[in-house]
């Protein structure tokens, strides 16, 4: 077996951190270092001073020619060009034993030297040498990856042995994996500990260094001995609440550590799941914000699942928009969903028939429920589909039956429908407050068709300082003018024709309102609308003109008024409204009333 012999002359090409350390170690083992080449002049001189009496060469080819054992210790990326240049200079011969110390390459990069008769090997120590040190003990007991053909292993193994280390064979085609492993072990460990140190500093731990040394040493011992089984903590327990609390605290106090925390925690999930399939990786990763927004609407029926699903998006600063509905979806609802996308990043549609807002049990029982078609319609919106559809059941929303806490909005809810439907707006305000809390939305979209409902919510948000922007979208009508309503499904052909009295009455009132330069003649408009309804089979509940902000009755001549109608067609109760006054731009008026600025113009 050929071995490298201390008597042989050694050249170090690349007197950087590892080259220097190898040189001093070999010198101590009795090797004759005769030449230093490559690298900068400063680094060559530094090593020459340390070793004394060694010749330095500007041209690495000259250093190679002066030696038999050549150690190429240049940076990984410089290795191939260096070998090519040396081959062109024709410096390699059968006299040479050639070793490179680039972790990622096998001996194939030295093929030209092998062709010239040199013995070649790739040797890489699993040691980190972050600065130039000349303590030869630094390489003692190091593990070295050795890649060489069987006939070349001997000299390289002896060399590693003389450096105080042990050789471990790595196949040439496994070298990149080997390198990846070492990169993870050193970089990820260092990065994790640096991050931990910053978090500890933020937590006020005085001696973070001592603290981490003890912890990291025992973690390393566990991981090396027990593998994944040695990992414990919230990821293994699937404890998303704790992870969420970590994330919130980091985002609040050391936000620039958040990405690293997230990445380390995700890495832990990916690692532990390989050995412990009971770990719910998708849920944990979703919680960490690794979930993209779903391409298809995701159906959620439980409040906890909704909170979990939205948490990562909220953490990423995405704006959440809620469209509350009672289902039986139609074009009006779908327009709100489309509009919702313009006001935020994550769109949630809720579908819940809220018993609290039905004062009449028969009306509640007759309310259409068409969940399957609703979900299909939402999915069919494609790009405009909501991201999440929250469909809680009664127990989710009211686990203890009628809640003890109910939200009462006074003045604005006492006129119009409020005067005819006792308790209706208490039910609406209560359920909407609950939905706002459950979803944690930044924006909520309502339809103008239920103008008073939107006004009640606006008042509620203002009075309780809820951090939600209320957006009101225009009423969507069928081509015949009838405002879309879930209750329209209950109208027969004749009743539907009767129901057109609503939109016709509003249109007549709007036309009437246009005549006067000084404003809207309330009595004339109400009278005109009532006339149309009286001439139809609609059983009128009210026809009223109110102030669009206060919803209190107006009379005489006013700048603007909301004309609202409620009535029955058969046993189906319908409502509709129109804003009179600045009739040319009803949406601008709505925006002014609801304070949602330009948004409602969209
Ligand atoms: P609902 O399912 O009836 O509670 O309605 C849910 C939301 O859709 C409310 O904000 C309604 O105002 C709105 N909406 C209902 N019908 C229409 C319509 N025809 N045009 C626009 N929005 C509507």
């Amino acid at each position: 077996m050929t071995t490298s012999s201390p008597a042989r002359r050694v050249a170090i090409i690349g007197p950087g951190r590892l080259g220097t350390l190898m040189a001093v170690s070999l010198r101590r083992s009795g090797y004759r270092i005769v030449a230093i080449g490559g690298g900068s002049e400063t680094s060559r001189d530094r090593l020459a001073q340390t070793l004394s009496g060694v010749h330095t060469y500007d041209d690495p080819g000259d250093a190679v020619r002066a030696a038999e054992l050549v150690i190429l210790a240049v940076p990984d990326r410089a290795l191939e060009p260096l070998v090519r240049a040396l081959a062109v200079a024709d410096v390699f011969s059968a006299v040479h034993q050639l070793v490179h110390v680039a972790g990622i390459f096998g001996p194939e990069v030295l093929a030209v030297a092998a062709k010239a008769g040199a013995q070649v090997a790739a040797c890489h120590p699993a040691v980190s040498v972050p600065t130039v040190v000349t303590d030869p003990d630094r390489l003692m007991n190091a593990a070295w990856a050795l890649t060489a053909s069987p006939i070349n292993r001997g000299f390289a193994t002896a060399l590693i042995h003389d450096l105080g280390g042990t050789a471990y064979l790595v196949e040439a085609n496994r070298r990149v994996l080997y390198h990846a492993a070492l990169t993870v072990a050193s970089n990820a460990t260092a990065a994790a500990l640096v991050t931990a140190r910053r978090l500890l500093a933020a937590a006020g731990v005085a001696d973070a260094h001592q603290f981490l040394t003890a912890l990291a040493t025992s973690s390393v011992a566990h991981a090396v001995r027990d593998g994944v089984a040695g990992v414990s903590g919230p990821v293994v327990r699937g404890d998303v609440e704790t992870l969420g609390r970590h994330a919130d605290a980091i985002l609040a106090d050391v936000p620039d550590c958040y990405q690293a925390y997230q990445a380390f925690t995700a890495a832990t999930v990916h690692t532990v799941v390989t050995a412990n399939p009971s770990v719910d990786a998708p849920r944990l990763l979703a919680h960490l914000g690794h979930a993209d927004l779903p391409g298809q609407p995701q159906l959620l029926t439980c409040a906890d699942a909704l909170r979990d699903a939205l948490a990562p998006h909220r953490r990423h600063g995405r704006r959440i928009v809620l469209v509350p509905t009672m289902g039986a979806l139609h074009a009006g609802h779908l327009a709100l969903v489309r509009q919702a996308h313009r006001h935020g990043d994550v769109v949630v549609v809720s579908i819940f028939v809220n018993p609290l807002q039905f004062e009449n049990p028969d009306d509640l029982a007759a309310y259409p429920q068409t969940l399957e078609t609703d979900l299909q319609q939402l999915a069919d919106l494609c790009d405009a589909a909501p991201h999440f559809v929250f469909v809680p059941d009664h127990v989710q929303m009211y686990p203890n039956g009628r809640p003890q806490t109910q939200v009462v909005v006074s003045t604005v809810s006492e006129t119009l429908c409020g005067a005819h439907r006792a308790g209706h707006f208490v039910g609406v305000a209560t359920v909407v407050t609950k939905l706002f809390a459950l979803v944690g939305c930044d924006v909520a979209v309502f339809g103008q068709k239920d103008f008073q409902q939107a006004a009640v919510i606006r008042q509620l948000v203002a009075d309780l300082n809820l951090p939600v922007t209320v957006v009101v979208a225009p009423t969507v009508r069928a081509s015949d003018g009838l405002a879309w309503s879930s209750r329209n499904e209950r109208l027969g052909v004749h009743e539907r024709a009767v129901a057109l009295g609503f939109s016709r009455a509003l249109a007549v009132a709007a036309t009437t309102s246009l005549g006067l330069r000084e404003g809207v003649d309330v009595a004339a408009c109400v009278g005109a609308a009532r006339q149309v309804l009286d001439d139809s089979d609609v059983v009128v509940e009210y026809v009223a003109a109110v102030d669009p902000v206060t919803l209190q009755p107006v009379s005489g001549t006013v700048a603007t008024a909301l004309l609202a109608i409620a009535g029955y067609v058969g046993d189906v109760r319908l409502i509709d409204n129109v804003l009179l006054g600045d009739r040319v731009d009803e949406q601008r008026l709505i925006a002014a009333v609801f304070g949602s600025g330009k948004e409602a113009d969209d």
Side-chain angles (χ1 to χ4, degrees):
M1 183 163 73
T2 315
T3 60
S4 78
S5 133
R8 310 202 88 190
R9 291 169 299 158
V10 181
I12 303 287
I13 312 294
R17 289 162 304 178
L18 186 54
T20 299
L21 206 47
M22 289 179 76
V24 293
S25 299
L26 289 173
R27 160 73 66 97
R28 186 171 69 172
S29 300
Y31 282 68
R32 275 202 298 149
I33 315 291
V34 297
I36 304 169
S40 68
E41 196 177 337
T42 323
S43 62
R44 286 197 300 270
D45 289 348
R46 187 184 51 215
L47 182 55
Q49 266 178 17
T50 307
L51 296 179
S52 75
V54 180
H55 203 88
T56 64
Y57 295 89
D58 220 9
D59 177 355
D62 293 338
V64 173
R65 283 196 194 93
E68 287 138 356
L69 176 60
V70 178
I71 294 175
L72 302 178
V74 296
D76 292 8
R77 275 192 303 182
L79 181 61
E80 277 184 304
L82 169 70
V83 173
R84 226 177 298 125
L86 292 172
V88 170
D90 199 20
V91 298
F92 298 123
S93 72
V95 77
H96 285 122
Q97 289 174 332
L98 194 63
V99 164
H100 80 70
V101 293
I104 198 162
F105 299 121
E108 67 285 347
V109 275
L110 307 177
V112 281
K115 227 167 160 189
Q119 290 180 278
V120 298
C123 300
H124 179 253
V127 168
S128 94
V129 190
T131 55
V132 176
V133 282
T134 53
D135 169 13
D137 283 342
R138 280 297 300 276
L139 285 177
M140 285 307 288
N141 302 318
W144 289 73
L146 166 62
T147 308
S149 64
I151 53 159
N152 288 341
R153 282 176 199 160
F155 91 89
T157 306
L159 175 71
I160 290 168
H161 176 263
D162 291 343
L163 285 164
T166 306
Y168 293 86
L169 281 179
V170 173
E171 294 296 328
N173 62 1
R174 291 285 175 266
R175 207 56 201 203
V176 178
L177 282 180
Y178 156 80
H179 191 249
L182 263 65
T183 306
V184 169
S186 66
N187 292 10
T189 308
L193 291 173
V194 169
T195 304
R197 215 175 144 157
R198 292 196 53 206
L199 294 178
L200 281 177
V205 174
D207 197 345
H209 176 79
Q210 278 285 325
F211 201 93
L212 282 176
T213 304
L215 177 70
T217 308
S218 70
S219 297
V220 167
H222 279 132
V224 170
R225 195 187 56 220
D226 307 324
V228 174
V231 181
S232 59
V235 167
V236 178
R237 293 196 304 273
D239 181 354
V240 288
E241 286 73 26
T242 297
L243 294 174
R245 292 174 72 180
H246 289 174
D248 290 342
I250 294 170
L251 279 170
D253 288 323
V254 217
D256 53 333
C257 278
Y258 181 65
Q259 271 197 323
Y261 168 83
Q262 198 188 28
F264 293 130
T265 311
T268 313
V269 173
H270 288 302
T271 308
V272 297
V273 79
T274 57
N276 184 355
S278 69
V279 168
D280 187 350
R283 179 164 179 251
L284 287 163
L285 293 173
H287 205 77
L288 284 166
H290 280 255
D292 290 331
L293 283 164
Q296 285 279 311
Q298 187 179 334
L299 175 65
L300 297 161
T301 54
C302 122
D304 286 345
L306 175 74
R307 204 169 284 133
D308 277 0
L310 292 176
H313 303 296
R314 189 171 303 117
R315 205 166 278 140
H316 279 254
R318 293 180 178 146
R319 272 167 82 76
I320 299 171
V321 190
L322 171 67
V323 182
T325 80
M326 296 205 297
L329 301 184
H330 51 65
H333 296 115
L334 301 182
L336 301 194
V337 179
R338 267 191 223 98
Q339 168 115 209
H341 284 273
R342 297 188 215 150
H343 296 277
D345 313 295
V346 183
V347 174
V348 182
V349 169
S350 65
I351 298 179
F352 178 63
V353 182
N354 174 35
L356 243 54
Q357 69 190 66
F358 286 83
E359 66 288 1
N360 173 354
D362 293 341
D363 193 20
L364 172 60
Y367 202 85
Q369 304 222 28
T370 57
L371 184 58
E372 217 168 293
T373 5
D374 289 352
L375 296 175
Q376 191 56 53
Q377 287 191 82
L378 292 172
D380 289 346
L381 288 174
C382 300
D383 283 356
H387 301 102
F388 299 99
V389 186
F390 179 46
V391 189
D393 64 9
H394 190 262
V395 176
Q396 278 291 318
M397 289 301 282
Y398 302 118
N400 303 310
R402 199 177 181 86
Q404 292 187 40
T405 305
Q406 297 185 26
V407 182
V408 181
V409 179
S410 54
T411 315
V412 76
S413 71
E414 285 162 5
T415 53
L416 306 178
C417 290
H420 296 268
R421 300 185 69 185
H424 170 67
F425 286 118
V426 174
V428 169
T430 303
V431 79
V432 169
T433 306
K434 282 173 73 78
L435 287 168
F436 283 4
L438 284 169
V439 176
C441 53
D442 304 284
V443 181
V445 185
F446 295 87
Q448 184 196 334
K449 183 172 155 288
D450 299 81
F451 194 100
Q452 191 175 17
Q453 169 174 282
V456 167
I457 304 302
R458 179 204 56 204
Q459 194 62 45
L460 155 73
V461 161
D463 288 347
L464 299 185
N465 304 97
L466 302 183
V468 180
T469 301
V470 175
V471 169
V472 178
T475 301
V476 178
R477 299 176 181 281
S479 53
D480 56 8
L482 181 66
W484 281 96
S485 162
S486 305
R487 294 168 194 264
N488 292 356
E489 290 189 14
R490 293 171 52 205
L491 300 172
V493 179
H494 171 67
E495 289 166 320
R496 189 183 162 96
V498 173
L500 290 180
F502 280 74
S503 51
R504 236 182 273 128
L506 295 176
V508 169
T511 312
T512 309
S513 76
L514 291 178
L516 286 183
R517 284 241 315 280
E518 57 275 25
V520 177
D521 179 339
V522 170
C525 293
V526 171
R530 182 168 275 282
Q531 187 63 55
V532 174
L533 291 168
D534 285 349
D535 290 346
S536 74
D537 285 339
V538 173
V539 178
V540 176
E541 188 175 83
Y542 65 77
V543 180
V546 295
D547 178 272
V549 176
T550 63
L551 267 54
Q552 300 310 298
V554 287
S555 57
T557 304
V558 293
T560 55
L562 175 78
L563 187 83
I565 303 173
Y568 285 84
V569 177
D571 61 355
V572 181
R573 186 178 181 276
L574 298 174
I575 57 172
D576 204 346
N577 66 74
V578 68
L579 274 164
L580 304 177
D582 189 2
R583 185 64 189 96
V584 270
D585 198 344
E586 192 177 43
Q587 281 313 297
R588 199 167 291 280
L589 193 52
I590 287 204
V593 169
F594 285 92
S596 43
K598 205 191 140 299
E599 292 161 336
D601 297 352
D602 294 345

